[in-house]
């Protein structure tokens, strides 16, 4: 069995699955639009949680939050199911495929056999679409891949029931109702306000304050943990910032693309100007990654390189603070 | 990021013939999508993580040789896991997993218990039992 699903590549997995599933159901919505309306731009620093033996940084909200917000703001209904065991999970998926419903799944990356080996970590917030089954193989549309691929039934079961933080528990989701009249203007306005509120939140580990806190910590790392660990932590920031499916620099560019689309929908030229500003901020995040990479590659041990990196991050935080205050006023 | 600046550095994405999609601007600052073969800072960060795991695995192997820890620790590191993840896959409480890191406790474990670990690591019971480092 095979549904007539069309695969489009995206920069981020959850955006991609949401956009592709909605396109399949007749709603032509771009990845940046999903990202923007879903308030996908976020920052949180969780020093008390360790991922790969380094503190956790996230440039995105909780898994499922983007699609959930898009649905809520546009009045779309999504069905989400979790399963206690493999059997019921397989049965529900096969049933959907029989009824010609391509289904989104939350999966762990570690057993995704089509990923390059080095990318396979225990990261459980990845998303893909299953659009058919041929023999023992499921037909997979993974939005970060250029083309469609397959997974054996056994491998699919392993990724659906991956363990650890954010264990997907077989989670499956698909849209069941899309209203005829969608109020994009209202959805975009609400979404932009939420993003501004999140990024300017008066909480020390979230948004701009979170970025500043990381900057402060970077200065302390080499003395507190030694150079080796400090470099390992830095590498973690860059990986979370730029790796597939996550993203800090990359996310700024998607958000800028969203602002350009939003400026047309809302007929608000200010948003277009702000998109250029966001592009510059995205470039600054990339420069930060380049500098950080230099530090952990050369393993240079002078304490002032960490200070320089911290200053760079603080400059980004300053720019973003000004940016989000302007954005809040412009709508 | 301008379209012309989209990085095309060598990376391990090549091994599976994959390119990443990203958003970049044209000469007027308008966004479009472009494909990237990889980016050096990212590759270095990823290699750093891989190196770290290799070092941890090697250290665990030596500890097994010296009889300081049980083979479970070695296979845990080899599979890029930590105690929390291993506890999840094996279906055993974390404090018990930590206890099973001790060689003298490991020696007394039943085959049923060891099988849970072997399954979590996708190895056979014999491989786990007979691992000497």
């Amino acid at each position: 069995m095979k549904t007539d699903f069309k695969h489009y590549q995206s920069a981020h997995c959850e955006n991609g699955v949401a956009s592709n599933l909605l396109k399949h159901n007749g709603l032509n919505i771009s990845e940046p639009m999903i990202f923007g309306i879903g308030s996908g731009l976020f920052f949180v620093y969780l020093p008390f949680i360790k991922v790969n033996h380094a503190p956790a940084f996230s440039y995105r909200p909780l898994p499922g939050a983007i699609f959930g917000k898009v649905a809520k703001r546009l009045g779309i209904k999504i069905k989400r199911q979790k399963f206690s065991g493999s059997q019921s999970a397989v049965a529900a998926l096969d049933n959907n495929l029989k009824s010609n419903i391509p289904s989104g799944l939350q999966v762990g990356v570690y057993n995704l056999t089509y990923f390059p080996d080095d990318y396979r970590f225990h990261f459980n917030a990845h998303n893909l679409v299953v659009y058919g089954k041929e023999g023992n193989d499921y037909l997979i549309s993974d939005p970060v891949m250029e083309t469609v691929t397959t997974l054996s039934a056994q491998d699919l079961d392993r990724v659906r029931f991956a363990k650890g933080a954010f264990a997907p528990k077989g989670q499956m989701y698909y849209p069941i109702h899309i209203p005829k009249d969608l109020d994009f203007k209202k959805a975009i306005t609400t979404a932009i306000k939420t993003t501004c509120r999140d990024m300017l939140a008066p909480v020390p580990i979230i948004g701009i304050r979170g970025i500043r806190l990381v900057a402060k910590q970077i200065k302390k790392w080499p003395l507190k943990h030694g150079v080796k660990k400090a470099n390992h932590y830095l590498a973690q920031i860059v990986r979370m910032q730029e790796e597939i499916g996550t993203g800090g620099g990359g996310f700024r560019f998607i958000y800028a693309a969203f602002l350009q689309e939003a400026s047309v929908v809302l007929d608000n030229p200010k948003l277009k100007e702000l998109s250029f500003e966001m592009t510059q901020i995205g470039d600054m995040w990339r420069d930060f990654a380049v500098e950080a990479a230099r530090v952990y590659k050369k393993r240079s041990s002078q304490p002032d390189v960490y200070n320089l990196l911290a200053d760079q991050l603080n400059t980004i935080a300053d720019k973003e603070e000004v940016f989000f205050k302007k954005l809040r006023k412009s709508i | 990021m301008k379209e012309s600046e989209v990085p095309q550095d060598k990376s391990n994405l090549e091994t599976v013939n994959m390119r990443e999609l990203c958003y970049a601007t044209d000469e007027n600052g308008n966004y479009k999508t472009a494909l990237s073969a990889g980016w050096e800072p990212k590759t270095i960060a990823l290699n750093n993580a891989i190196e770290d795991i290799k070092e941890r695995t090697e250290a665990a192997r030596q500890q097994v040789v010296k009889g300081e820890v049980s083979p479970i620790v070695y296979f845990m590191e080899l599979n890029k896991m930590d105690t929390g993840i291993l506890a999840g896959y094996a279906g055993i409480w974390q404090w018990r997993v930590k206890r099973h890191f001790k060689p003298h406790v490991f020696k007394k474990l039943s085959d049923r218990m060891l099988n849970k670990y072997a399954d979590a690591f996708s190895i056979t019971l014999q491989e786990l039992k007979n691992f000497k480092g």
Side-chain angles (χ1 to χ4, degrees):
Chain A
M1 39 194 176
K2 190 175 169 182
T3 60
D4 52 348
F5 184 77
K6 199 156 186 292
H7 172 87
Y8 300 91
Q9 195 183 5
S10 68
H12 175 58
C13 63
E14 192 178 333
N15 299 335
V17 166
S19 159
N20 288 350
L21 283 178
L22 291 176
K23 274 180 188 159
H24 176 81
N25 285 282
L27 174 63
N28 194 5
I29 185 165
S30 69
E31 174 182 11
M33 212 40 154
I34 294 278
F35 184 71
I37 296 182
S39 296
L41 200 71
F42 193 66
F43 183 85
V44 62
Y45 170 49
L46 301 165
F48 37 86
I49 295 180
K50 293 279 190 285
V51 178
N52 299 318
H53 314 282
F57 310 89
S58 181
Y59 295 80
R60 58 182 270 183
L62 287 173
I66 296 179
F67 200 9
K69 281 186 178 141
V70 168
K72 199 176 138 205
R73 286 169 186 162
L74 289 174
I76 297 166
K77 286 202 180 76
I78 313 175
K79 183 158 177 163
R80 276 184 192 274
Q81 288 170 283
K82 283 189 181 180
F83 302 92
S84 52
S86 303
Q87 266 186 343
S88 53
V90 170
L93 177 61
D94 286 356
N95 246 333
N96 266 6
L97 296 176
K98 264 180 215 149
S99 331
N100 205 19
I101 305 172
S103 306
L105 297 179
Q106 186 192 328
V107 298
V109 170
Y110 189 65
N111 283 301
L112 280 183
T113 41
Y114 55 77
F115 260 29
D117 276 348
D118 288 353
Y119 281 80
R120 287 165 60 184
F121 283 87
H122 294 276
F123 171 72
N124 287 334
H126 190 60
N127 293 274
L128 51 79
V129 174
V130 179
Y131 69 97
K133 190 180 183 184
E134 274 169 6
N136 189 40
D137 285 340
Y138 282 95
L139 309 179
I140 307 287
S141 155
D142 186 323
V144 302
M145 305 290 287
E146 279 185 79
T147 53
V148 290
T149 170
T150 58
L151 273 180
S152 71
Q154 291 77 3
D155 285 337
L156 187 66
D157 183 63
R158 298 196 83 170
V159 296
R160 289 183 80 183
F161 287 94
K163 299 294 191 319
F166 304 122
K169 301 195 172 93
Q171 182 158 179
M172 179 171 96
Y173 55 92
Y174 51 97
I176 48 173
H177 172 73
I178 300 176
K180 280 207 180 99
D181 296 314
L182 295 165
D183 192 348
F184 272 97
K185 284 186 183 170
K186 197 174 156 223
I188 290 171
T189 313
T190 317
I192 291 180
K193 277 184 187 154
T194 308
T195 300
C196 293
R197 195 195 63 205
D198 288 348
M199 292 306 286
L200 297 168
V203 185
I205 57 170
I206 289 175
I208 279 115
R209 289 195 60 189
I211 300 171
R212 289 207 177 108
L213 180 61
V214 174
K216 212 165 141 189
Q217 301 283 336
I218 288 179
K219 290 186 189 175
K220 291 185 192 161
W221 284 342
L223 289 170
K224 199 172 161 193
H225 301 294
V227 172
K228 192 161 179 268
K229 218 167 179 184
N231 288 350
H232 179 58
Y233 287 5
L234 271 183
Q236 172 98 332
I237 299 186
V238 174
R239 278 185 59 218
M240 292 301 130
Q241 183 183 323
E242 300 292 342
E243 208 159 294
I244 313 175
T246 55
F251 273 19
R252 274 21 184 209
F253 300 134
I254 307 179
Y255 202 73
F258 158 70
L259 289 177
Q260 296 194 347
E261 279 191 46
S263 129
V264 178
V265 177
L266 296 180
D267 194 17
N268 183 344
K270 265 193 205 151
L271 293 182
K272 177 112 190 199
E273 279 165 37
L274 284 168
S275 100
F276 297 143
E277 210 169 297
M278 183 95 279
T279 305
Q280 284 172 3
I281 294 174
D283 286 332
M284 289 169 73
W285 277 103
R286 288 176 66 81
D287 292 342
F288 171 76
V290 172
E291 288 304 319
R294 261 183 212 149
V295 173
Y296 53 68
K297 195 183 177 189
K298 278 188 198 152
R299 313 215 153 164
S300 109
S301 55
Q302 308 144 293
D304 57 312
V305 286
Y306 296 93
N307 289 336
L308 287 175
L309 278 175
D311 292 344
Q312 214 174 346
L313 215 45
N314 273 324
T315 317
I316 293 176
D318 294 345
K319 286 258 182 203
E320 292 207 343
E321 187 176 6
V322 174
F323 174 87
F324 286 108
K325 280 184 176 160
K326 264 198 252 174
L327 181 62
R328 192 166 59 184
K329 271 192 198 142
S330 69
I331 49 157
Chain B
M1 178 170 60
K2 293 193 188 83
E3 206 185 350
S4 55
E5 294 165 357
V6 172
Q8 306 294 349
D9 301 341
K10 228 172 139 58
S11 79
N12 14 29
L13 289 174
E14 232 176 42
T15 52
V16 289
N17 248 333
M18 174 181 168
R19 280 175 302 170
E20 275 177 70
L21 186 116
C22 48
Y23 287 79
T25 53
D26 64 14
E27 60 276 17
N28 300 319
N30 293 323
Y31 273 90
K32 54 200 293 189
T33 60
L35 289 170
S36 161
W39 191 38
E40 206 195 351
K42 210 153 122 176
T43 308
I44 303 171
L46 186 61
N47 289 344
N48 173 286
I50 304 281
E51 278 307 310
D52 184 62
I53 285 164
K54 276 191 191 151
E55 278 171 30
R56 297 182 71 93
T57 312
E58 175 55 22
R61 192 189 65 79
Q62 286 175 8
Q63 278 183 302
V64 174
V65 173
K66 285 184 206 152
E68 289 167 359
V69 299
S70 76
I72 294 174
V73 178
Y74 168 77
F75 285 107
M76 177 180 80
E77 296 292 355
L78 187 68
N79 285 280
K80 304 177 188 169
M81 295 174 170
D82 58 25
T83 31
I85 296 168
L86 175 56
Y89 274 101
I92 301 168
W93 280 335
Q94 255 195 77
W95 65 269
R96 293 192 78 188
V97 171
K98 281 183 191 157
R99 213 174 143 260
H100 299 160
F101 288 174
K102 296 176 184 163
H104 69 276
V105 178
F106 178 78
K107 264 184 223 151
K108 287 183 215 151
L109 291 180
S110 68
D111 280 1
R112 208 175 129 251
M113 182 64 83
L114 289 173
N115 254 323
K116 289 186 184 177
Y117 285 110
D119 287 346
F121 300 137
S122 303
I123 55 173
T124 63
L125 182 62
Q126 294 312 317
E127 279 176 276
L128 179 61
K129 267 185 170 175
N130 299 335
F131 183 78
K132 298 279 186 285

